[in-house]
Amino acid sequence: GIQVEQSPPDLILQEGANSTLRCNFSDSVNNLQWFHQNPWGQLINLFYIPSGTKQNGRLSATTVATERYSLLYISSSQTTDSGVYFCAVERRPSGNTPLVFGKGTRLSVIA
Amino acid sequence: SAVISQKPSRDICQRGTSLTIQCQVDSQVTMMFWYRQQPGQSLTLIATANQGSEATYESGFVIDKFPISRPNLTFSTLTVSNMSPEDSSIYLCSVDSPLRTNTEAFFGQGTRLTVV
């Protein structure tokens, strides 16, 4: 099956710093999403980005599908950005199939 | 987007008992998915629930332990049966976008289960 690898596994930032999280995947995908899991366990949709670049406030993401990777950029980090960031891809190149998750990047932003 | 209401949000249960988790979607969807997230781990798919047919389980998960119902296109339940402390996890339901233009997935708030 498809493999999803995220790096780094852990990241500690000073408030205000910038960071880049990476997601590599082993096969062609129809869907790639980034999620933020807050301390209460809720998964927040950040980006649906099977290809291209998107921005939402201090966050942006880029997926280069031909090279099988995606990047999540966090600028001017805040303590509320802390949590686990997951990359997930759709397992087969068609709709209505479940996501395969990477192991996540645990981000801690300290004041 | 799809709005998913998942209940309960958390529970503490005695070993040997069962808990049923409900997932209600605000629009009709074809597939619903159930995931488990063990402490400190990533999400693992338990099963896929398609309305009108039996759920399809992933390797390592069986119907007797995790029975699933899917009575209509907006609702599903997952039961965790005969619980043990190893079942302590976050359980999440997910659906694909009701729009046909993309396959974005949405998740419920999760159920944090502790078995004592």
Side-chain angles (χ1 to χ4, degrees), chain A residues 35 43 66 77 106:
Chain A
F35 297 91
L43 275 180
T66 53
S77 58
R106 184 173 299 275

Side-chain angles (χ1 to χ4, degrees), chain A residues 30-31 33 35 37 39-41 43 45 48 86 90-91 95-99 101-102, chain B residues 30-31 33 35 37 41-43 45 58 90 92 96 102-107 109 112:
Chain A
N30 194 50
N31 174 13
Q33 292 183 239
F35 297 91
Q37 188 169 41
W40 297 271
L43 275 180
N45 286 39
Y48 168 77
F86 287 104
E90 189 172 0
R91 190 161 61 180
N96 287 327
T97 55
L99 295 176
F101 282 76
Chain B
T30 305
M31 298 290 192
F33 307 101
Y35 291 82
Q37 185 180 23
Q41 304 297 312
S42 185
L43 280 76
L45 182 69
E58 297 297 299
I90 299 175
L92 299 105
D96 280 352
N102 66 46
T103 58
E104 183 175 4
F106 298 90
F107 284 79
Q109 307 96 311
R112 187 181 293 272

Side-chain angles (χ1 to χ4, degrees), chain B residues 4-9 21-23 34 91-93 108-111:
Chain B
I4 305 171
S5 174
Q6 188 174 337
K7 297 179 182 179
S9 58
I21 302 167
Q22 299 181 2
C23 185
W34 288 96
Y91 293 85
L92 299 105
C93 67
Q109 307 96 311
T111 297

